[in-house]
Amino acid sequence: MKFRRPLMCAIVLSTSLTTPLALAQTAQIHHEVSLGISDIKDADDKFLGVGYRYYFDTVNMATQPWAISPYLQRANNASVNYFAIDDLNSINIDGEWFYSDTLIVRGRYGRISDERNLSDVTQQRVGISLSTFANDHWEYGAGIDLFDIEEAFYVYDDPITRYKADDNELSFSIFARYTSFGGTAKSFTPGWDIAMKGTHFDDEFSIEIDADYYLKPNWSVGVAALYENHDGYSSENLIELGTNYWFNPYSSLRFGLGYDTDDGDLGSITLLGTFRF
């Protein structure tokens, strides 16, 4: 049995909405708290998530798109996220360090446990990614993750007897990100923020694309697409349309609906709020 990642949830948590531009120009941010309620894959999988991120560098909410201002300003940060889906619990710790435009280092640790009546599965992950900026608009890089997967299965008529298994696996990924906004923009012009990632993990190959178009500094609409190919037995395709709106530089709401193109039904629902201060 292989432990599957929760689909699209790890889209987990980040943003805020609009007030006058003068307020945005004076807003300086160090903290970000995110809360999310969502259905993952189907309406029976309830999702509740909470996250906190600290920016070691002051983030100035000015003429850039507010949601991605920390990224455009190369703000070093660390975060911790927790979410739960039925019997599944997950915690993730991430860090992001920008060494000028030459090197970006991202480290992460994650632990997911799924405890049920007849089985316990725990997956731990440690990973690192290295990337660089080709210019003000393009970033590209690669990453590696080590997974430790422990599984325990109980015999149905004897809850004491159990079978245990422990396995280690590596995941490799390549990624790129394009933004039409430069880090030193003096005025806002509508544009794109597009992230692309390919990952190979065990017998699974996946491609993820997340594209957002910013009509205003505080408002974007976008599409996220996920394709997973599992050698020998199945594939999975999901497309989610969504919008992200910041009421002011300190609070935002993100909403999205996903469609499972293989099953032909609702694939995901996203409702995420973020608060900065």
Side-chain angles (χ1 to χ4, degrees):
M1 171 182 172
K2 190 182 80 169
F3 191 88
R4 295 286 309 285
R5 298 168 305 181
L7 180 67
M8 297 298 282
C9 82
I11 293 177
V12 195
L13 311 149
S14 68
T15 59
S16 265
L17 306 170
T18 270
T19 53
L21 183 58
L23 176 59
Q25 292 174 331
T26 60
Q28 296 185 341
I29 304 300
H30 275 287
H31 309 273
E32 181 176 288
V33 177
S34 300
L35 301 172
I37 298 175
S38 181
D39 290 338
I40 305 302
K41 289 293 290 173
D42 56 60
D44 295 327
D45 289 331
K46 301 301 181 183
F47 167 77
L48 172 64
V50 59
Y52 170 75
R53 185 180 302 274
Y54 178 77
Y55 296 102
F56 297 96
D57 307 300
T58 300
V59 178
N60 298 299
M61 307 288 283
T63 58
Q64 300 162 323
W66 294 357
I68 59 174
S69 286
Y71 174 77
L72 296 175
Q73 296 174 30
R74 320 301 193 223
N76 299 325
N77 64 87
S79 68
V80 57
N81 294 321
Y82 172 81
F83 65 81
I85 306 175
D86 291 340
D87 300 312
L88 186 148
N89 292 274
S90 173
I91 186 169
N92 291 279
I93 301 172
D94 297 88
E96 185 177 42
W97 294 270
F98 295 87
Y99 297 94
S100 69
D101 287 345
T102 305
L103 178 65
I104 304 95
V105 179
R106 297 180 176 94
R108 51 194 169 270
Y109 167 78
R111 185 181 187 276
I112 302 176
S113 62
D114 190 358
E115 299 179 358
R116 304 188 180 187
N117 291 333
L118 298 177
S119 66
D120 295 334
V121 183
T122 300
Q123 173 183 284
Q124 297 190 79
R125 178 192 66 170
V126 178
I128 187 171
S129 298
L130 303 177
S131 60
T132 188
F133 288 100
N135 50 49
D136 276 350
H137 304 285
W138 277 101
E139 177 195 357
Y140 56 89
I144 185 171
D145 291 84
L146 172 64
F147 292 84
D148 178 71
I149 304 170
E150 297 180 358
E151 299 171 300
F153 301 96
Y154 300 85
V155 177
Y156 180 75
D157 57 355
D158 184 358
I160 298 178
T161 303
R162 51 197 291 178
Y163 163 75
K164 293 184 177 180
D166 194 349
D167 189 21
N168 293 311
E169 298 178 358
L170 285 175
S171 169
F172 303 93
S173 61
I174 57 174
F175 57 90
R177 183 171 181 175
Y178 169 80
T179 61
S180 57
F181 314 99
T184 59
K186 301 301 181 181
S187 61
F188 175 81
T189 301
W192 289 95
D193 178 39
I194 304 172
M196 300 155 284
K197 183 179 181 181
T199 304
H200 182 270
F201 173 62
D202 191 22
D203 62 348
E204 173 185 305
F205 176 74
S206 65
I207 298 176
E208 301 169 66
I209 300 177
D210 192 353
D212 293 302
Y213 185 76
Y214 287 85
L215 298 92
K216 297 180 179 181
N218 67 309
W219 182 34
S220 66
V221 294
V223 57
L226 171 66
Y227 167 77
E228 290 184 343
N229 180 44
H230 311 285
D231 291 347
Y233 64 94
S234 68
S235 64
E236 192 164 37
N237 296 276
L238 182 79
I239 298 177
E240 181 174 283
L241 300 178
T243 184
N244 188 11
Y245 185 80
W246 291 74
F247 302 101
N248 53 54
Y250 307 103
S251 61
S252 74
L253 185 66
R254 179 168 186 156
F255 175 75
L257 289 175
Y259 177 72
D260 190 323
T261 60
D262 290 327
D263 296 335
D265 56 15
L266 183 67
S268 64
I269 299 175
T270 299
L271 181 62
L272 303 172
T274 300
F275 309 91
R276 289 175 175 170
F277 55 97

